[in-house]
């Protein structure tokens, strides 16, 4: 049967393991992408593809902005879930983004002030300590995963962006719940999800230095089911792509899903 390409969710933010950095993604990480193909039309020297691995297994894919210290998107496969969250996982970082390392493992943040060894290319816990208006919001949320290790792998700062608390615990959390329930109930195939941001130009600052970009919009595209969520703007795939083409790093050839999630007639039989 032909897969349904879901409508795109765009939300205004208002005012407020193991991972490896890759030029070409290995096949084990392409499994999290529709037709094995990442979104195209996103090019900049500061953008790094991360094959997010935890306990020696690939979990999902992130495109990370090493200048603004935020993920541009995370791409993952939704797993039927009861929505329970992992509460025993420390926040982690990606050692390969900025240091020489003999491991690709997603690592827990060290104690003390060793963060400066790798903070040039990614966010660290100190960036969020005094950011009183913002909290860490997942792009790949743990409630969209079922396996405990898959859930644990979402707790890396390369998978989170600053979110206003009222937004994070309000409309966006409702959106995550609704997506989980509807995919649990109605999705019979593989649900490929890409969730990303558009930056606002505002930054979280630390020691008078711009550290972490604050999103203006969060968007999420699902390749399996059509969704409508209160207070979330519903757009077609094409309309969302046109909207995002106004963003930094996005060119006129930008596509979230290969061929906009339209399969050739020969693939529909």
């Amino acid at each position: 049967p032909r897969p349904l390409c879901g409508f795109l969710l765009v939300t205004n933010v208002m005012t407020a393991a193991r991972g490896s950095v890759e030029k070409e993604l290995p096949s084990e990480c392409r499994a999290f992408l529709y037709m094995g193909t990442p979104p195209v039309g996103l090019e900049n020297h500061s953008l790094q593809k991360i094959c997010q691995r935890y306990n020696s297994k690939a979990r999902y894919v992130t495109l990370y902005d090493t200048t603004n210290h935020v993920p541009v998107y995370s791409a993952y496969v939704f797993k039927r879930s009861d929505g329970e969250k992992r509460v025993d996982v420390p926040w982690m970082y990606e050692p390969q983004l900025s240091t020489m390392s003999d491991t690709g493992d997603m690592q827990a943040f060290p104690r003390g002030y060793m963060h400066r060894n790798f903070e040039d290319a990614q966010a660290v816990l100190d960036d969020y300590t005094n950011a009183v208006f913002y909290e860490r919001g997942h792009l790949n949320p743990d409630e969209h995963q079922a396996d405990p290790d898959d859930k644990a792998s979402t707790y890396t700062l390369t998978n989170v962006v600053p979110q206003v608390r009222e937004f994070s615990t309000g409309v966006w959390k409702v959106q995550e719940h609704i997506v989980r329930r509807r995919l649990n109930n109605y999705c019979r195939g593989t649900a490929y999800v890409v969730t990303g941001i558009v930056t606002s130009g505002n930054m979280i600052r630390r020691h008078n230095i711009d550290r972490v970009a604050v999103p203006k919009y969060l968007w999420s595209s699902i390749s399996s089911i059509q969704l409508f969520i209160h207070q979330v703007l519903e757009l077609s795939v094409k309309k969302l792509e046109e909207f995002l083409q106004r963003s930094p790093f996005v060119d006129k050839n930008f596509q979230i899903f290969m061929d906009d999630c339209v399969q050739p007639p020969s693939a529909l039989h």
Side-chain angles (χ1 to χ4, degrees):
R2 177 176 179 172
L4 296 175
C5 282
F7 275 28
L8 287 299
L9 315 174
V10 182
T11 303
N12 195 337
V13 178
M14 302 299 182
T15 57
R18 182 181 177 185
S20 57
V21 177
E22 310 282 354
K23 289 186 177 179
E24 296 296 329
L25 290 169
S27 59
E28 61 180 339
C29 260
R30 288 185 176 273
F32 303 107
L33 303 167
Y34 177 75
M35 301 293 285
T37 304
V40 299
L42 290 162
E43 299 295 337
N44 188 276
H45 70 277
S46 69
L47 302 183
Q48 300 280 347
K49 294 186 182 73
I50 303 175
C51 183
Q52 302 274 21
R53 293 188 175 95
Y54 181 80
N55 277 352
S56 301
K57 182 179 178 181
R59 308 289 172 172
Y60 57 101
V61 173
T62 296
L63 183 67
Y64 195 78
D65 182 347
T66 59
T67 297
N68 289 311
H69 305 141
V70 286
V72 176
Y73 67 74
S74 283
Y76 60 96
V77 172
F78 173 85
K79 305 293 176 52
R80 191 165 279 104
S81 167
D82 60 10
E84 291 296 319
K85 299 184 71 172
R86 284 287 299 265
V87 295
D88 60 343
V89 182
W91 284 103
M92 293 176 279
Y93 71 97
E94 175 49 62
Q96 293 193 46
L97 272 176
S98 55
T99 62
M100 296 298 293
S101 175
D102 60 358
T103 178
D105 285 355
M106 197 181 284
Q107 298 288 318
F109 278 95
R111 295 180 181 274
Y113 291 90
M114 296 176 62
H115 296 180
R116 59 178 58 95
N117 292 338
F118 46 81
E119 67 181 3
D120 286 349
Q122 61 190 298
V124 296
L125 292 175
D126 288 350
D127 293 324
Y128 286 89
T129 300
N130 296 315
V132 295
F133 297 109
Y134 303 104
E135 58 183 38
R136 292 161 290 204
H138 288 72
L139 296 188
N140 174 10
D142 69 343
E143 75 167 87
H144 287 185
Q145 303 297 328
D147 181 85
D149 279 356
D150 286 341
K151 289 177 176 290
S153 72
T154 67
Y155 288 89
T156 167
L157 289 195
T158 55
N159 179 51
V160 303
V161 297
Q163 292 183 6
V164 177
R165 181 178 298 276
E166 292 78 9
F167 172 81
S168 177
T169 60
V171 63
W172 192 250
K173 182 56 63 179
V174 170
Q175 181 262 345
E176 290 176 342
H177 290 335
I178 291 176
V179 168
R180 177 180 59 81
R181 289 196 298 268
R182 293 195 176 181
L183 290 179
N184 276 347
N185 292 334
Y186 303 117
C187 180
R188 296 296 177 263
T190 300
Y192 297 95
V193 185
V194 183
T195 298
I197 68 167
V198 176
T199 55
S200 63
N202 297 326
M203 300 287 291
I204 291 176
R205 292 174 63 83
R206 179 162 59 90
H207 303 315
N208 293 320
I209 298 173
D210 288 343
R211 284 292 303 165
V212 181
V214 176
K216 182 177 182 180
Y217 299 102
L218 272 75
W219 56 269
S220 188
S221 178
I222 305 161
S223 70
S224 64
I225 193 167
Q226 188 168 312
L227 300 170
F228 175 78
I229 297 173
H230 182 60
Q231 294 184 349
V232 175
L233 181 62
E234 181 180 353
L235 300 174
S236 68
V237 174
K238 199 65 181 174
K239 288 293 185 182
L240 178 63
E241 290 172 346
E242 291 172 358
F243 177 82
L244 294 177
Q245 283 171 4
R246 295 178 251 166
S247 306
F249 314 138
V250 179
D251 66 29
K252 64 182 180 180
N253 298 315
F254 176 66
Q255 282 190 333
I256 299 171
F257 298 120
M258 183 179 180
D259 297 329
D260 287 333
C261 205
V262 177
Q263 292 189 339
S266 60
L268 304 181
H269 301 289

